[in-house]
Amino acid sequence: MLLLEVISGERLAKPERGKMRVHKISNVNKALDFIASKGVKLVSIGAEEIVDGNVKMTLGMIWTIILRFAIQDISVEETSAKEGLLLWCQRKTAPYKNVNIQNFHISWKDGLGFCALIHRHRPELIDYGKLRKDDPLTNLNTAFDVAEKYLDIPKMLDAEDIVGTARPDEKAIMTYVSSFYHAFSGAQKAETAANRICKVLAVNQENEQLMEDYEKLASDLLEWIRRTIPWLENRAPENTMQAMQQKLEDFRDYRRLHKPPKVQEKCQLEINFNTLQTKLRLSNRPAFMPSEGKMVSDINNAWGGLEQAEKGYEEWLLNEIRRLERLDHLAEKFRQKASIHESWTDGKEAMLQQKDYETATLSEIKALLKKHEAFESDLAAHQDRVEQIAAIAQELNELDYYDSPSVNARCQKICDQWDNLGALTQKRREALERTEKLLETIDQLYLEYAKRAAPFNNWMEGAMEDLQDTFIVHTIEEIQGLTTAHEQFKATLPDADKERQAILGIHNEVSKIVQTYHVNMAGTNPYTTITPQEINGKWEHVRQLVPRRDQALMEEHARQQQNERLRKQFGAQANVIGPWIQTKMEEIGRISIEMHGTLEDQLNHLRQYEKSIVNYKPKIDQLEGDHQQIQEALIFDNKHTNYTMEHIRVGWEQLLTTIARTINEVENQILTRDAKGISQEQMNEFRASFNHFDRDHSGTLGPEEFKACLISLGYDIGNDAQKKTGMMDCEDFRACLISMGYNMGEAEFARIMSIVDPNRMGVVTFQAFIDFMSRETADTDTADQVMASFKILAGDKNYITVDELRRELPPDQAEYCIARMAPYNGRDAVPGALDYMSFSTALYGESDL
């Protein structure tokens, strides 16, 4: 009954003995009604349970009352009462070692938490340095006694119960700790001041970290570009196709593995730079100027040089591969023709130098003469081959073939031998003709055989050479031309076979005459060394080479068909992806200047676009795969599309960079809007004015366009004029201002341009325009506000001490201030006094902070 009177503040009727229960229930109901009127919900607790002495219900009601009237009003940074009280304890005890408050039970068993709370607010009451963690009873009793004696906090807890319990009662400790909160609530003003300083210092520390991150990322990216460009500019040729193929593979690895992460780093660098500048403007800090040579424009210039070197390197690689392929083909052709010629000339010089005609009979000398005539015919037939060998050697020299010295030496040897053969042939003819008068006519059949066998043999050798000749084609039309020529050659085979049979018939006739007339012959044709067996053997070889040539042409035709399929496949995909990238670029440009919906709607729209773009990446990868197959197949042109893989790569990288940059701009606009309290209507008005004067839809304004845009929004740039005007055409508006006597203040406008264009690029972006307009209308933290906050922490002194900073601020920010504050030199200075006024001013001016 007494408890209920205390709660309700009313005098309850004392029940008579006979009506004891009824009156008790009535009194309890009055108290419960009062508790309910204060917003306390009592679930399943009635007057009857209280009157009947239900201990569980009664204790539950008492805890509810304590929670409502002693704890519920506690609030720290918009948290619940329990969480707020716990957060308050954690902040107050953070500087103390061996104290780690995580809950309201076991964290308080050693008593150091209670002692830390008292020492934080009343350090003179407890010598915290003498307390020991292993003596919880002394710590708890010290805290309870001091709280009761000096802070008027009743001793609600028993030290032995807390130490002897594995998990102390959470509600009891929470109730007791709330008494400390209410006792020290007068220090809230100092805590608010400390929070303001923490906020300002946290912004400054974060900005410094962003500057350091930008400098490091920029240095790493520029160093990578500096190392990569010399590699791409190295044009040292290789002597073999395998070495050049390895260089091409290394370049593909660079494109696939090394460059894409650097593209992401470059994009992230621009985003970090824009975010940093936005945060600096929002916190009234000076704009960030990177070190010399590390501006975004410097990095873009270096990147452009990298891509130019990359393009030239790829073109050089492909040209070198074509050159080496051509050289290998010519070198093989030279060796084949040279070997055939050297095989033919083997022994010819020795034969021409023989003196056999000196001891020959008449018939023999005539035979020798005829044989020599046949040799001259054969020699003339080989003239074309010698000229071809010389022409191939010349072409190899012009193409800078690596083994040109050996080719030249072999060619020179062949030419010298050929000249010597000509001289020896002429000399032998002269010798034979001198003795011709002494000789008889040689059998005409042998002569006819030799004359017809030699050209036919040369034709067969030429045919074998052509059938075994290697070929290089790059289109179906070229292989079809070779196939047509081969079919024409096969059409001549029946006539050639008739010629072969005719030549063999001459030889058979000679054999028939010898057998018929028993002519004493040496057994070989004196006019030629070509035997019927050789003719038949070579003819059979030609017949075997024809189907092989058919097979080789068919295989090459199939390969060219496969190449054409690859060309069409790549062209079909490139003709879709190229326009798709251009369309996405245009759509992103429209989204960035349109005003449909809120900034969050635009951001969600852009992120959906970004997701759709990222989901398109597999198609780019598929196109890369097709392009790799084309390069591996040595396909150098494609008539089915005007797009190259380089165009697609550059467009894709620009698309990723544009969507990321546009999202970043909208995020910065949202950050500016929320930080400055700009309404959506104001943002729409700013965007409408900006778009009106952005004639070329470039997303930027020139100085004159920017000036007209400011005046259209009512911003006074002139020195004397006080007039405002509505929006109109830029030229008409300027003429109108001049006619009204409106004076554009060049000095004022120059000041504004130095704010919105600190890098002097000559253009104003929409983000810089929004930052300027919000800065002119919004209220932000100032140096005076920070100085006032420090003054509160210092107890209205003109200086602050190290102990005061460490007591009121978190450890890292307290040490930040101590390291950067200059000593205070005023008349009222004490040892260790710090000058917070100059420190606060430096936070908003030109300094090294």
Side-chain angles (χ1 to χ4, degrees), residues 473-489:
V473 295
H474 296 97
T475 64
I476 292 181
E477 291 76 10
E478 293 178 1
I479 191 62
Q480 288 176 345
L482 290 177
T483 303
T484 301
H486 182 62
E487 293 298 326
Q488 292 174 353
F489 167 76

Side-chain angles (χ1 to χ4, degrees), residues 491-588:
T492 64
L493 291 178
D495 293 337
D497 189 41
K498 291 180 181 179
E499 176 67 12
R500 180 183 68 85
Q501 293 176 359
I503 293 172
L504 294 177
I506 293 173
H507 184 270
N508 293 334
E509 185 67 21
V510 171
S511 299
K512 183 178 180 181
I513 293 173
V514 169
Q515 292 176 2
T516 302
Y517 299 99
H518 305 286
V519 176
N520 186 16
M521 302 294 296
T524 59
N525 193 326
Y527 307 116
T528 181
T529 60
I530 301 173
T531 64
Q533 292 77 13
E534 291 180 4
I535 293 176
N536 286 330
K538 291 180 179 180
W539 177 255
E540 186 62 28
H541 192 199
V542 169
R543 292 184 59 188
Q544 293 175 357
L545 290 176
V546 168
R548 296 180 189 174
R549 185 73 167 185
D550 289 336
Q551 181 65 26
L553 290 173
M554 289 176 60
E555 291 175 354
E556 182 61 28
H557 189 272
R559 191 175 75 87
Q560 290 302 323
Q561 285 182 328
Q562 173 65 12
N563 290 351
E564 184 67 11
R565 185 190 66 77
L566 290 175
R567 290 189 183 97
K568 291 180 178 179
Q569 180 175 325
F570 178 86
Q573 293 188 72
N575 290 336
V576 172
I577 293 175
W580 180 87
I581 291 176
Q582 183 62 31
T583 301
K584 290 299 179 182
M585 292 285 287
E586 295 173 356
E587 291 175 352
I588 293 171

Side-chain angles (χ1 to χ4, degrees), residues 56 125 154 163 227 359 409 493 775:
K56 184 176 181 180
L125 298 180
V163 173
R227 293 196 311 268
T359 57
L493 291 178
R775 177 183 293 184

Side-chain angles (χ1 to χ4, degrees), residues 371-486:
K371 180 179 179 181
H372 187 72
E373 290 176 353
F375 172 77
E376 287 180 330
S377 177
D378 197 8
L379 184 68
H382 281 77
Q383 179 68 34
D384 289 339
R385 181 179 288 111
V386 175
E387 292 175 356
Q388 291 174 5
I389 291 172
I392 293 173
Q394 179 64 26
E395 188 172 359
L396 287 172
N397 280 278
E398 292 173 354
L399 293 177
D400 196 22
Y401 182 53
Y402 77 97
D403 198 21
S404 293
S406 64
V407 170
N408 293 336
R410 190 173 185 181
C411 180
Q412 186 63 43
K413 181 179 179 181
I414 291 173
C415 292
D416 292 343
Q417 186 186 40
W418 185 256
D419 293 339
N420 189 36
L421 284 175
L424 291 174
T425 300
Q426 182 63 27
K427 183 178 179 180
R428 183 173 178 81
R429 168 169 279 280
E430 292 174 357
L432 290 173
E433 286 178 348
R434 284 194 300 267
T435 58
E436 185 179 10
K437 295 179 181 179
L438 302 175
L439 302 176
E440 295 180 352
T441 303
I442 303 299
D443 183 57
Q444 291 300 319
L445 289 174
Y446 274 117
L447 182 59
E448 182 68 12
Y449 174 89
K451 288 183 177 181
R452 296 180 68 172
F456 184 72
N457 181 70
N458 188 60
W459 175 86
M460 286 192 297
E461 289 180 351
M464 288 187 292
E465 182 180 346
D466 291 339
L467 290 172
Q468 297 179 87
D469 189 17
T470 59
F471 53 84
I472 292 179
V473 295
H474 296 97
T475 64
I476 292 181
E477 291 76 10
E478 293 178 1
I479 191 62
Q480 288 176 345
L482 290 177
T483 303
T484 301
H486 182 62

Side-chain angles (χ1 to χ4, degrees), residues 140-157:
L140 289 169
N141 286 323
T142 300
F144 296 162
D145 294 338
V146 170
E148 184 177 33
K149 183 176 181 180
Y150 297 102
L151 305 178
D152 294 327
I153 298 175
K155 193 173 183 181
M156 304 178 187
L157 304 174

Side-chain angles (χ1 to χ4, degrees), residues 28 114 251 276 391 413 448 623-624 654 666 671 705 735 833:
V28 173
F114 296 108
F251 182 72
L276 174 60
K413 181 179 179 181
E448 182 68 12
L623 191 64
E624 283 281 8
Q654 290 178 348
V666 175
L671 183 62
E705 294 173 331

Side-chain angles (χ1 to χ4, degrees), residues 267 270-271 274 584-585 587-594 599 602-603 605-607 609-610 613 654-670 687 766-767:
C267 179
E270 295 179 3
I271 291 174
N274 294 335
K584 290 299 179 182
M585 292 285 287
E587 291 175 352
I588 293 171
R590 287 198 299 271
I591 294 173
S592 65
I593 64 174
E594 290 175 353
L599 289 176
Q602 295 181 29
L603 183 60
H605 197 183
L606 285 170
R607 284 176 173 164
Y609 262 84
E610 184 182 32
I613 290 171
Q654 290 178 348
L655 180 60
L656 292 178
T657 302
T658 300
I659 187 63
R661 186 184 297 115
T662 305
I663 289 175
N664 179 250
E665 290 176 355
V666 175
E667 288 174 341
N668 287 339
Q669 293 174 25
I670 293 174
R687 172 55 83 179
F766 180 66
Q767 182 61 42

